[in-house]
Amino acid sequence: VAQGTVDRAYDQLVAEGYLSRGVGRGTFVRGVRPSTMRDVRRLPATAPAAAASRAGGQTPWARRVQLLDGYGAPSVRAFVANGPALDQFPVGLWARLVGRRLRRITSRDLLGAGPAGAPALREAVWEYVQAERGVRCTLDQVLIVAGVREALDLVSRVVLRPGDVAMLEDPGYRGARAVFAAHGARLLPTPVDAEGVVLPTRTRARPRIAYVTPAHQFPQGVHMSAARRLALLAWAHQRDTLIFEDDYDSEYRYRGRPLPALQGLDTAQRVCYAGSFSKVLYPGLRLGYLVVPPPLLDAVLATRSISTLHPPMLEQLVVAEFLADGHFHRHVRRMREIYAERHDALLDAARREWAGALEVSPIEAGLQTLGWLRDGVDVDALCARAARADITLESLEQWAIRPLARPGVQLGFATIAPADLRAGVTRLARVLEAPGLRGGS
Ligand SMILES: Cc1ncc(COP(=O)(O)O)c(C=O)c1O
């Protein structure tokens, strides 16, 4: 072979560590056998269970923190809940925006930003939450986060000490429960009525934090009345409680004018406001926003600076353009029509076919609703039988801390075409009619 080929082979062996070479010294074989290097790749995909659990039991934090599911597998089966219709996402437009933004990328963009996130997206979100959600804040209060989960964790790190009380809606979002429990808080589950969260006035507990979903309660769908909002702010003020307002999905409102955010009514700087792009754009984007009251801002930014710093720049810059160029508004308007049609298809068919067996809550906003069952129905048996009929039903119990007054199931409609919703309603009507669903029978 040619001299150049030999030289290149030697260079490669030196680079991989098999040979060592020194000028005037010669070239020597090192004691590294090829198999030592290759063994690295032979590890199993999962660590042995015993080793994993030993590592997980080391600190109080590691013992308290639970694995919180990601978003499940994409599904268009009736009545899958908690996800947007991803087949309707404008991937072509997104690809063009990503390409365009990337071609204009600057060294400043590649270097990154401070712990509050990309300035362009912070400004776009600042405009949006003021104009559309009635949030009152300065630009410095706006942080871009990796979804509501990160927002909850950041705020909890700053305000919660082990043993503090954390109030949350029950049934409610499991993510909030998991985060508060991980930080060692004692949970104060609080029921929800037709006006929103019922304030625990009789307990002497002074919650350090209260998690609420005023725009439409998760998972019951009710929106918090204006009177309850004012009462909640006064209640929090008396107890020195910080409110965490989760404004998820507020964009998808089908009737009436959206109520402005609770944060806009707050004059005492005690509301943290969070929103998410997970349902309006797509969950894998992992982007959301957090508006922090000024007294907490420095601590939240410092906390952020020692962990993720900020989400990836390119995605933030693309979302900023999506908002600034009006695509966001057009996308929300289009999706709202699609979801409203699906919501109506579910409700019409349910009224006709489930009367007396499963009562569907009409909702004003969101991507899913609830079906209430008659007392005594074995909800787990119903979910299992529904699954055999190709229907996904999830018991409301999985979102509840205390036993429920009435059994219920979550009914998603957002990912399912109207014809499939109607067919699902008919199949579930047959399951509901079959004997043996009442407890004890
Ligand atoms: C009540 C509630 N808040 C927020 C989220 C979104 O969380 P993230 O922004 O972290 O995706 C979800 C997702 O299911 C939710 O149900």
Side-chain angles (χ1 to χ4, degrees):
V1 292
Q3 167 86 30
T5 308
V6 174
D7 285 348
R8 274 202 302 282
Y10 269 74
D11 288 347
Q12 185 64 32
L13 290 166
V14 170
E16 291 186 18
Y18 296 117
L19 301 182
S20 70
R21 185 163 55 188
V23 181
R25 235 175 5 100
T27 302
F28 300 91
V29 175
R30 300 179 68 187
V32 186
R33 281 180 295 120
S35 60
T36 331
M37 306 282 231
R38 270 196 237 117
D39 277 351
V40 174
R41 294 204 204 121
R42 289 209 204 111
L43 285 177
T46 24
S53 65
R54 264 203 309 282
Q58 280 168 358
T59 63
W61 165 274
R63 280 195 293 275
R64 283 193 303 260
V65 73
Q66 296 163 9
L67 184 69
L68 191 61
D69 293 342
Y71 288 84
S75 173
V76 294
R77 185 166 115 153
F79 299 99
V80 161
N82 299 318
L86 295 173
D87 53 351
Q88 301 289 332
F89 185 73
V91 175
L93 168 65
W94 194 256
R96 280 202 302 283
L97 291 180
V98 172
R100 197 176 78 184
R101 195 61 195 77
L102 196 50
R103 282 191 294 277
R104 292 204 328 263
I105 205 96
T106 63
S107 301
R108 173 71 261 178
D109 298 332
L110 293 175
L111 207 52
L121 182 55
R122 294 175 61 214
E123 275 174 43
V125 165
W126 185 44
E127 292 289 326
Y128 172 72
V129 295
Q130 291 181 98
E132 305 285 330
R133 302 298 303 128
V135 170
R136 293 196 316 177
C137 64
T138 56
L139 176 58
D140 11 328
Q141 288 175 256
V142 180
L143 263 80
I144 304 305
V145 289
V148 170
R149 287 180 198 209
E150 193 195 8
L152 269 165
D153 182 52
L154 271 177
V155 172
S156 298
R157 275 171 202 273
V158 169
V159 304
L160 278 180
R161 278 168 309 208
D164 280 350
V165 175
M167 189 191 104
L168 23 68
E169 300 165 333
D170 184 33
Y173 176 46
R174 248 190 329 225
R177 199 198 313 174
V179 172
F180 294 153
H183 288 282
R186 285 181 290 141
L187 303 182
L188 177 62
T190 310
V192 175
D193 67 14
E195 290 193 65
V197 70
V198 178
L199 299 173
T201 45
R202 272 196 238 133
T203 160
R204 272 204 249 133
R206 291 159 66 94
R208 184 69 198 96
I209 195 166
Y211 168 85
V212 286
T213 47
H216 64 117
Q217 201 272 333
F218 182 89
Q220 304 195 56
V222 293
H223 70 266
M224 196 182 289
S225 68
R228 188 67 59 82
R229 287 169 191 242
L230 294 172
L232 171 60
L233 289 171
W235 174 92
H237 197 53
Q238 281 158 9
R239 287 163 179 75
D240 198 22
T241 300
L242 182 77
I243 297 172
F244 188 100
E245 175 177 18
D246 179 354
D247 202 30
Y248 84 105
D249 281 7
S250 59
E251 296 80 6
Y252 292 130
R253 189 169 185 85
Y254 310 117
R255 268 162 271 282
R257 275 176 55 80
L259 280 176
L262 177 70
Q263 194 271 2
L265 298 172
D266 171 35
T267 50
Q269 303 189 327
R270 56 179 67 255
V271 180
C272 285
Y273 169 89
S276 176
F277 291 114
S278 287
K279 306 287 177 61
V280 221
L281 298 177
Y282 58 94
L285 186 61
R286 300 311 305 140
L287 284 181
Y289 38 92
L290 171 66
V291 176
V292 182
L296 295 182
L297 194 52
D298 284 351
V300 170
L301 289 174
T303 305
R304 186 56 163 338
S305 74
I306 63 164
S307 57
T308 54
L309 189 57
H310 61 69
M313 282 303 273
L314 182 60
E315 274 83 354
Q316 293 189 72
L317 297 172
V318 174
V319 176
E321 296 217 346
F322 201 75
L323 276 156
D325 293 355
H327 299 299
F328 187 82
H329 281 95
R330 281 190 287 279
H331 178 61
V332 167
R333 261 205 309 277
R334 183 174 149 258
M335 295 311 294
R336 196 185 287 138
E337 270 177 35
I338 293 175
Y339 293 146
E341 186 193 2
R342 294 177 178 192
H343 168 263
D344 293 349
L346 169 64
L347 250 77
D348 287 348
R351 262 188 221 116
R352 276 197 313 274
E353 302 208 40
W354 295 344
L358 189 60
E359 185 193 318
V360 179
S361 285
I363 51 157
E364 292 179 356
L367 306 183
Q368 64 260 339
T369 181
L370 288 183
W372 297 103
L373 292 152
R374 280 178 300 190
D375 273 345
V377 171
D378 180 343
V379 66
D380 293 331
L382 172 65
C383 294
R385 288 191 193 184
R388 288 198 288 276
D390 234 1
I391 292 166
T392 299
L393 283 186
E394 286 185 83
S395 167
L396 181 57
E397 250 162 33
Q398 63 158 317
W399 308 102
I401 298 176
R402 291 162 316 164
L404 292 167
R406 196 176 168 190
V409 288
Q410 236 191 347
L411 298 169
F413 54 81
T415 64
I416 310 137
D420 296 332
L421 281 166
R422 284 185 212 99
V425 168
T426 305
R427 284 203 309 282
L428 186 57
R430 278 188 224 119
V431 174
L432 287 163
E433 280 159 16
L437 275 179
R438 312 281 293 178
S441 57

